[in-house]
């Protein structure tokens, strides 16, 4: 019998949560990941075929009923998931009533999905309208990016333009720029709604003085997006540490040339 703990999906989430921790982007219980799993990917795993528990959720997920998600547990540390995946991850299916999930595997010591699960579900729902391949929502606390939310105006246009100009790769990876919501209390449906509405226009959304949400069709895509944004923020930080006097930069014309060559459409409200 093949066990779900040995599946590529559990391995992928275990490895990426450790990487997020190892980058210093998920201290303590910071961060959360949800990964939409296809029914075909569950075939052959006998230990996910029955409902172990029903867990209420503080959200109406009726539109997502029947969908499967592999989700990090609330309160758990990303540094530990790699050693205790069956305890700190859960495979859930959104129940028909929308207000609960059926647990099929994991959360073995009584855990429940991340406190940001409503935000994740709203995010998946909105991204799925734009991209039927959408499967991953990833939240973390990248240091340089968070620092920038203290020193820079929280303007999506200005913020995105700085990140675009800090390295050639940025515009190619996130040509639409980054979304920003105001500072809000995490773990609430209000922050979920604000984030999800930004996800209609951007794949990444900044939570000022808190962190970043990245989305994508694969774990690699969501992680790569986050990595690239944080790298740009890190370069910006180092530029400031070197005195901040820019002698040459990537110009608007350079950005337009880059977009043309790489076949991406930059956000025309920003450039
Ligand atoms: O899951 O990062 O935003 C812990 C958090 C909440
Ligand atoms: Zn957080």
């Amino acid at each position: 019998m093949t066990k779900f703990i040995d599946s590529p999906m559990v391995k992928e989430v275990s490895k990426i949560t450790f990487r997020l921790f190892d980058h210093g982007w998920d201290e303590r219980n910071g961060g959360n990941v949800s990964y939409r799993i296809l029914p075909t990917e569950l075939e052959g795993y006998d230990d996910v075929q029955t409902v172990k528990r029903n867990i209420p959720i503080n959200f109406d997920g009726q539109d997502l009923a029947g969908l499967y998600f592999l989700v990090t547990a609330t309160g758990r540390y990303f540094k530990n998931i790699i050693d205790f995946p069956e305890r700190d991850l859960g495979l859930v299916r959104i129940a028909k009533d929308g207000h609960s999930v059926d647990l099929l595997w994991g959360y073995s010591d009584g855990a429940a999905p991340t406190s940001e699960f409503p935000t994740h579900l709203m995010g998946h729902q909105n991204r799925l309208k734009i991209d039927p391949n959408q499967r991953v929502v990833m939240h973390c606390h990248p240091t340089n990016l968070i620092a920038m939310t203290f020193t820079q105006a929280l303007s999506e246009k200005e913020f995105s333009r700085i990140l675009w100009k800090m390295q050639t790769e940025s515009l190619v990876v996130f040509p639409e720029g980054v979304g920003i919501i105001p500072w809000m209390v995490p773990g609430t449906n209000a922050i979920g709604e604000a984030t999800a509405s930004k996800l209609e226009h951007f794949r990444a959304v900044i939570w000022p003085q808190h962190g970043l949400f990245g989305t994508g069709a694969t774990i690699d895509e969501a992680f790569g997006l986050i990595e690239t944004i944080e790298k740009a923020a890190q370069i910006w930080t180092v530029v400031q540490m070197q005195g901040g006097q820019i002698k040459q930069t990537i110009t608007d014309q350079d950005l337009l040339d880059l977009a043309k060559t790489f076949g991406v459409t930059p956000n025309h409200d920003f450039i």
Side-chain angles (χ1 to χ4, degrees):
M1 184 179 100
T2 319
K3 289 186 172 268
F4 191 63
I5 196 167
D6 298 321
S7 68
M9 294 79 80
V10 169
K11 289 222 165 352
E12 238 185 321
V13 175
S14 302
K15 280 198 313 201
I16 212 68
T17 47
F18 190 81
R19 289 251 185 278
L20 285 157
F21 155 74
D22 209 27
H23 274 81
W25 302 341
D26 283 303
E27 68 292 337
R28 203 173 179 275
N29 65 323
N32 27 76
V33 175
S34 63
Y35 185 10
R36 182 167 62 86
I37 304 296
L38 308 177
T40 49
E41 291 174 312
L42 297 175
E43 285 166 12
Y45 297 106
D46 294 347
D47 54 347
V48 303
Q49 306 302 334
T50 56
V51 176
K52 312 298 183 298
R53 268 194 284 146
N54 181 265
I55 307 172
I57 53 170
N58 187 22
F59 173 66
D60 182 1
Q62 238 177 63
D63 292 347
L64 299 170
L67 296 189
Y68 297 88
F69 293 95
L70 185 58
V71 193
T72 54
T74 181
R76 302 304 161 86
Y77 292 23
F78 270 20
K79 76 180 176 68
N80 294 337
I81 295 176
I82 197 158
D83 293 322
F84 304 99
E86 195 154 0
R87 184 192 72 184
D88 295 345
L89 297 177
L91 174 71
V92 301
R93 183 177 57 211
I94 311 297
K96 277 201 186 70
D97 65 9
H99 288 284
S100 65
V101 296
D102 290 327
L103 177 67
L104 301 164
W105 175 90
Y107 299 158
S108 61
D109 67 352
T114 166
S115 57
E116 306 293 0
F117 197 39
T119 295
H120 282 239
L121 291 178
M122 291 180 226
H124 279 289
Q125 204 167 347
N126 279 5
R127 288 303 310 166
L128 275 166
K129 288 181 207 154
I130 299 155
D131 176 11
N133 294 320
Q134 156 64 29
R135 292 182 63 180
V136 177
V137 174
M138 192 177 279
H139 167 62
C140 64
H141 302 163
T143 315
N144 293 284
L145 187 75
I146 296 173
M148 278 183 75
T149 67
F150 289 85
T151 59
Q152 299 308 295
L154 298 178
S155 144
E156 286 166 347
K157 177 177 176 177
E158 294 314 316
F159 221 104
S160 298
R161 287 175 55 82
I162 293 175
L163 297 174
W164 281 348
K165 292 192 176 201
M166 283 302 115
Q167 59 187 350
T168 304
E169 195 192 5
S170 283
L171 182 93
V172 179
V173 177
F174 49 99
E176 77 274 36
V178 291
I180 309 178
I181 60 164
W183 186 92
M184 293 175 79
V185 175
T188 62
N189 285 8
I191 202 169
E193 282 158 21
T195 308
S197 106
K198 290 295 179 189
L199 287 170
E200 289 178 3
H201 310 283
F202 306 96
R203 286 166 299 143
V205 178
I206 296 173
W207 284 10
Q209 295 88 47
H210 182 142
L212 180 63
F213 267 80
T215 62
T218 63
I219 294 275
D220 272 357
E221 215 181 86
F223 185 78
L225 177 62
I226 289 169
E227 254 185 325
T228 309
I229 292 170
E230 171 60 6
K231 180 67 181 278
Q234 185 181 10
I235 297 168
W236 188 87
T237 305
V238 174
V239 167
Q240 300 309 307
M241 288 162 69
Q242 290 184 5
Q245 283 192 0
I246 305 263
K247 292 223 178 349
Q248 50 277 321
T249 185
I250 299 171
T251 65
D252 282 21
Q253 188 57 52
D254 292 338
L255 291 176
L256 293 170
D257 292 346
L258 194 59
K260 204 169 161 200
T261 302
F262 280 85
V264 298
T265 310
N267 186 330
H268 288 301
D269 293 334
F270 296 175
I271 184 164

